Amino acid sequence: MSKGKITIVVPVGGEKYLDDYHRLNNNLLYSIDKLFDLNYLQEVLVITNHPDKVEKENRPYLKTLKDNEVRESNESGWGFQQVLKLEVSKYVQTEWYLTMDSDCYFTKPNVNTADFFNEDGRASIGITQNDGDLHTWWHNSALFLDSPVKNLEGCCTVTPVMMNRNYTRDLCDKYDVLEGIIKKKCTEYTLYWTYLSKLNVALKTYINKPITYGCMWGQEIKNAKHFPDCDFHGLICDRILCAQFNSIERRETSLFSSAASRKYKLDYKYICDRIKQYIKQNAHLP
């Protein structure tokens, strides 16, 4: 089911994270150019205090916002990026917006809004069942929003997430999400999902259908003998998704993958170049 156009939101870190801007320009934005049907895209909002590092040429869909335009604060870093993913909803013109990080990118050709929604209009998301062993973030969010953990309608996965602008705006209007995330140690998604559960609308709004690849980690990549045609050089990092390079089946069923190389101090430019080649190859597939 098509829901019309969507917005894509991408917060990017400070100037010292040059690898994030390289991924943004050469993987994420490049994949939008090549693989996303722009008839279904309202705009891409990149939240950054360094807009000069974002390659805007020939990308009329691209708009940049500075951090303090979205939420005035002296905070910065990973936690504040989570705040921005919620507070940016006041700038979003569409009913739905997709949160992404600079290390995400599209892998499927001709992506449009029908890829994100079920026939009954619910958005796709990964939902895990409660098992009584929830992370502290969920408990903190339940306390902050005065909504018992037992009321959770499952637990949602993390970025990329298709978020409903109206519910997010409502959350930000009623609660100080900056306090919730920075001081009370919640996350953007635990707050969002707990709020939907409090309203009893989480499972009316979403269907359990992940839109991302599963990740391979460290030694698993070295031992991935069922992908014999892959060159795994330089891919031992915490969020690189190796199956993408030769698996047509996974390309057909998955929309995103991620590349992060800081943990293992790998050559991120090499990895980004491999990914860019993969995106270019997929752009020519039906």
Side-chain angles (χ1 to χ4, degrees):
M1 176 179 179
S2 174
K3 300 286 287 187
K5 294 185 177 184
I6 65 165
T7 299
I8 295 174
V9 168
V10 193
V12 189
E15 188 174 14
K16 67 178 181 178
Y17 296 121
L18 294 179
D19 53 337
D20 277 349
Y21 289 94
H22 191 83
R23 292 190 186 95
L24 173 74
N25 293 317
N26 292 281
N27 287 169
L28 175 51
L29 295 180
Y30 183 75
S31 73
I32 293 173
D33 294 337
K34 296 294 183 181
L35 300 176
F36 203 101
D37 185 339
L38 298 181
N39 292 310
Y40 295 90
L41 181 64
Q42 179 71 27
E43 59 186 352
V44 176
L45 300 177
V46 177
I47 308 171
T48 173
N49 286 331
H50 303 281
D52 57 303
K53 299 187 182 303
V54 181
E55 296 177 3
K56 306 180 185 71
E57 188 175 358
N58 297 321
R59 287 169 173 157
Y61 58 76
L62 188 59
K63 179 180 179 180
T64 57
L65 294 167
K66 290 194 173 181
D67 291 7
N68 279 346
E69 289 183 78
V70 178
R71 174 65 191 255
E72 192 169 341
S73 174
N74 293 323
E75 296 289 344
S76 61
W78 177 62
F80 191 54
Q81 283 196 355
Q82 296 178 47
V83 175
L84 296 175
K85 288 177 182 176
L86 297 175
E87 294 280 7
V88 74
S89 58
K90 60 178 169 280
Y91 285 97
V92 174
Q93 301 177 46
T94 54
E95 180 184 2
W96 295 88
Y97 67 99
L98 183 68
T99 57
M100 300 185 77
D101 291 328
S102 60
D103 62 356
C104 297
Y105 57 90
F106 292 93
T107 64
K108 176 181 175 293
N110 302 312
V111 176
N112 62 72
T113 51
D115 291 302
F116 302 99
F117 298 95
N118 197 38
E119 292 180 356
D120 61 8
R122 288 181 294 167
S124 298
I125 197 171
I127 302 174
T128 59
Q129 296 303 311
N130 301 336
D131 58 5
D133 186 27
L134 298 177
H135 193 283
T136 303
W137 294 324
W138 291 99
H139 291 281
N140 291 345
S141 296
L143 289 172
F144 184 70
L145 299 178
D146 191 25
S147 179
V149 170
K150 66 181 181 180
N151 288 351
L152 279 174
E153 299 181 10
C155 301
C156 71
T157 51
V158 296
T159 307
V161 170
M162 185 67 74
M163 303 188 77
N164 184 283
R165 175 203 62 185
N166 298 329
Y167 287 127
T168 309
R169 284 183 181 178
D170 196 36
L171 169 64
C172 293
D173 286 343
K174 292 180 178 178
Y175 300 91
D176 184 353
V177 295
L178 177 68
E179 178 186 0
I181 292 172
I182 302 299
K183 294 183 179 180
K184 302 301 182 181
K185 305 303 180 185
C186 308
T187 73
E188 73 276 52
Y189 300 120
T190 60
L191 283 175
Y192 177 70
W193 193 260
T194 300
Y195 184 64
L196 294 184
S197 296
K198 181 176 181 177
L199 298 178
N200 296 313
V201 297
L203 298 183
K204 296 175 183 176
T205 307
Y206 290 94
I207 183 172
N208 185 11
K209 183 180 178 183
I211 57 175
T212 61
Y213 287 105
C215 294
M216 290 186 180
W217 290 67
Q219 194 64 32
E220 289 181 350
I221 293 173
K222 287 186 175 181
N223 295 334
K225 299 183 185 304
H226 51 294
F227 297 119
D229 298 328
C230 285
D231 170 15
F232 291 110
H233 171 69
L235 300 181
I236 307 173
C237 54
D238 53 351
R239 293 185 69 200
I240 188 69
L241 303 161
C242 301
Q244 63 198 341
F245 291 113
N246 74 338
S247 174
I248 297 299
E249 179 183 354
R250 297 192 77 168
R251 174 186 66 77
E252 291 292 350
T253 58
S254 303
L255 296 173
F256 305 92
S257 47
S258 305
S261 55
R262 286 192 202 114
K263 181 176 181 180
Y264 295 96
K265 298 181 180 179
L266 301 176
D267 182 354
Y268 69 88
K269 290 185 178 180
Y270 167 80
I271 295 174
C272 287
D273 183 62
R274 283 290 307 276
I275 293 170
K276 190 170 185 177
Q277 292 176 37
Y278 171 76
I279 293 167
K280 184 177 181 179
Q281 167 191 319
N282 276 2
H284 299 289
L285 294 172

